[in-house]
Amino acid sequence: MSLLVDVLSGAEVAPFIPELARLRMAVFREWPYLYEGSLEYEEHYLAKFLGLPESTLVVVRDGERVVGASTALPLAQAEAEFQEPFVKAGLEPADWYYFGESVLEPAYRGQGLGVAFFRHREARALQLGYRQVTFCAVERPANHPLKPSNYVPLDAFWQRRGFSKRPDLVCQFAWQDLGQPRETPKPLVFWVKAL
């Protein structure tokens, strides 16, 4: 495999939006997200990166095909739901760079690309003057009926990257689960790191 990794921002993201929307919808159907998704929502979500020079998009391509991507932006530019726990805890959202999703087709996992996603986003945060980074992960009940028996949480991977889980920083964000008629809120717990 000859993989190409690009770090893009702002208007550079535009040509990749359709492929990114497809990739997000495919990967987020998996546990623990179980995301029904729609192309319309995805393209709207991704469009916010176009007008934001401080955004980051790490794209992995195999030839011309996008097989992985990871996003980041200033927490102060993220949805209000993601800022709220920081405000409540007396933490200034403007001090944090927020890592959005990392999505990767299954055939490309286990090759160090997850580490590369974090490395590139951290370098970009430093370049923009941020010294604190964060992301959040959905918390599903341990006895959820759709949880695969062989599921291994990513907590150890994130800890090896230097992140600490902050159970006191939790937001609620809604999306439509697979097979469900409407969106419902899910708890997402934040992880933090000082650079």
Side-chain angles (χ1 to χ4, degrees):
M1 278 183 258
S2 57
L3 300 178
L4 179 63
V5 179
D6 285 318
V7 181
L8 310 169
S9 62
E12 296 172 326
V13 174
F16 296 96
I17 285 182
E19 277 295 293
L20 292 173
R22 173 201 59 81
L23 183 62
R24 277 177 43 93
M25 286 179 62
V27 172
F28 283 149
R29 289 181 72 82
E30 300 171 15
W31 176 267
Y33 292 93
L34 305 174
Y35 172 63
E36 184 68 45
S38 74
L39 196 55
E40 179 182 5
Y41 174 85
E42 289 302 313
E43 290 184 351
H44 173 75
Y45 166 80
L46 292 164
K48 74 180 172 189
F49 292 94
L50 297 176
L52 189 60
E54 300 87 8
S55 68
T56 302
L57 172 65
V58 183
V59 177
V60 179
R61 288 181 288 164
D62 186 352
E64 292 301 311
R65 192 165 64 86
V66 175
V67 298
S70 191
T71 64
L73 72 163
L75 181 59
Q77 300 294 322
E79 288 84 351
E81 293 94 331
F82 297 119
Q83 297 180 47
E84 184 180 3
F86 287 78
V87 173
K88 284 184 176 178
L91 301 170
E92 177 55 57
D95 293 339
W96 296 82
Y97 200 61
Y98 173 68
F99 293 176
E101 68 284 321
S102 289
V103 290
L104 193 59
E105 289 184 1
Y108 297 86
R109 296 175 189 166
Q111 300 176 39
L113 292 168
V115 173
F117 285 153
F118 277 95
R119 190 179 70 245
H120 286 299
R121 291 182 298 177
E122 288 176 15
R124 177 82 165 129
L126 286 169
Q127 177 189 25
L128 292 169
Y130 290 92
R131 297 295 177 263
Q132 297 177 100
V133 294
T134 187
F135 68 88
C136 59
V138 66
E139 292 273 316
R140 294 283 190 172
N143 63 349
H144 193 288
L146 297 178
K147 180 181 179 183
S149 60
N150 63 346
Y151 175 70
V152 177
L154 292 173
D155 295 29
F157 171 78
W158 295 328
Q159 289 168 342
R160 287 193 302 272
R161 308 280 73 74
F163 283 84
S164 299
K165 190 174 186 178
R166 289 284 303 264
D168 58 318
L169 297 176
V170 179
C171 74
Q172 296 286 323
F173 197 73
W175 65 83
Q176 184 179 351
D177 278 356
L178 292 172
Q180 297 301 310
R182 63 185 173 282
E183 292 184 350
T184 55
K186 282 71 169 184
L188 292 104
V189 177
F190 282 86
W191 291 68
V192 300
K193 178 178 179 177
L195 299 177

